[in-house]
Amino acid sequence: MTGKVYLIGAGPGDPELLTLKAHRLLTMADVVLYDRLVGKEIIDLIPDTAEKKYVGKAKSLHSLPQEEINSLLVAKAKAGNRVVRLKGGDPFIFGRGGEELEELIEEGVPFEVIPGVTAAAGCAAYAGIPLTHRDYAQSVRFLTGHLKNGTTDLPWEELVHPAQTLVIYMGLTGLQEISQSLIRFGMVPSMPVAVVEKGTTSEQRVFTSTIKEVYEVATQNEVKSPALLIIGEIVTLQSKLEWYGKYK
């Protein structure tokens, strides 16, 4: 009897941002494969009876290649298990969830997707930065700073646009190149930028700067991954709206 795979978004870190459905299915799992960005407090929710396996990825350091993760999901489900594939944030936003589902479909394994709070929404909210605002930004764009080929060769001309917020996932490694490229393609050097480190967790740190100086600020403060970049005039509201330290 074939089991089922539940592709669950664990959110950006705070366990209380798990959806009710995600929490219910996680506590019923037979097998859980979890990523590097899933917080310890969420991992602690996995029942003791479940098989737990870390399959996370860091830059140039993968505990398992993606192909092996895909095969493992298939094998565990075909053995009749309720398999939870637990991913940080949302599995369909830079989470490679689509690649894993393609394999499940090819192998005839049933699955269900449970969306999660993506880092852009969670980290921005906890840092006090609205991603859109009638006076500052009427659009928001999510990008990854780490492309499949290992470069940060983004469509720079499209990104330098008024009234737009840019949110860059995994942008810390290429931060210097990102800032220089945006300026080279026309972004004003004084454009506000926020770097949110370990967003939504008790270790969250937020640094605001400009696109010209953000690399130096991040370096001086020894910012570590996971960190999210938010670029746009909307960042000027951060000091006014931040509520994390007061209400968390």
Side-chain angles (χ1 to χ4, degrees), residues 49-231:
T49 55
E51 176 187 350
K52 292 187 289 187
K53 186 170 181 63
Y54 171 70
V55 293
K57 302 180 184 69
K59 186 176 183 291
S60 303
L61 181 62
H62 296 181
S63 61
L64 274 185
Q66 186 63 51
E67 294 76 15
E68 290 187 28
I69 296 173
N70 297 347
S71 298
L72 190 58
L73 287 171
V74 170
K76 293 295 183 181
K78 285 190 172 182
N81 295 296
R82 287 172 294 192
V83 182
V84 165
R85 178 68 175 101
L86 194 60
K87 291 177 170 287
D90 180 272
F92 279 1
I93 299 181
F94 307 123
R96 303 186 72 171
E99 297 174 42
E100 294 176 356
L101 295 190
E102 286 181 303
E103 180 86 7
L104 297 180
I105 290 170
E106 287 181 11
E107 295 289 338
V109 174
F111 63 84
E112 189 172 343
V113 180
I114 295 85
V117 176
T118 187
C123 296
Y126 278 47
I129 303 171
L131 294 179
T132 62
H133 188 292
R134 286 192 298 175
D135 296 333
Y136 295 93
Q138 289 77 57
S139 66
V140 59
R141 186 161 180 173
F142 298 168
L143 306 115
T144 174
H146 183 66
L147 303 182
K148 187 175 182 179
N149 60 6
T151 72
T152 53
D153 188 18
L154 298 170
W156 304 113
E157 290 181 345
E158 299 176 17
L159 305 184
V160 181
H161 192 279
Q164 175 176 257
T165 302
L166 301 178
V167 181
I168 302 182
Y169 294 64
M170 298 170 282
L172 201 58
T173 299
L175 180 54
Q176 187 172 33
E177 181 181 350
I178 289 169
S179 60
Q180 291 175 349
S181 297
L182 287 171
I183 292 172
R184 187 169 68 251
F185 279 83
M187 182 171 282
V188 294
S190 60
M191 180 64 72
V193 181
V195 182
V196 185
E197 178 190 69
K198 298 182 180 178
T200 80
T201 74
S202 59
E203 300 177 82
Q204 173 176 297
R205 296 196 298 167
V206 181
F207 300 98
T208 57
S209 182
T210 64
I211 194 65
K212 181 180 180 180
E213 299 175 346
V214 64
Y215 175 73
E216 183 179 351
V217 168
T219 301
Q220 289 176 345
N221 289 282
E222 299 181 342
V223 176
K224 306 295 184 186
S225 295
L228 192 79
L229 307 179
I230 304 174
I231 304 170

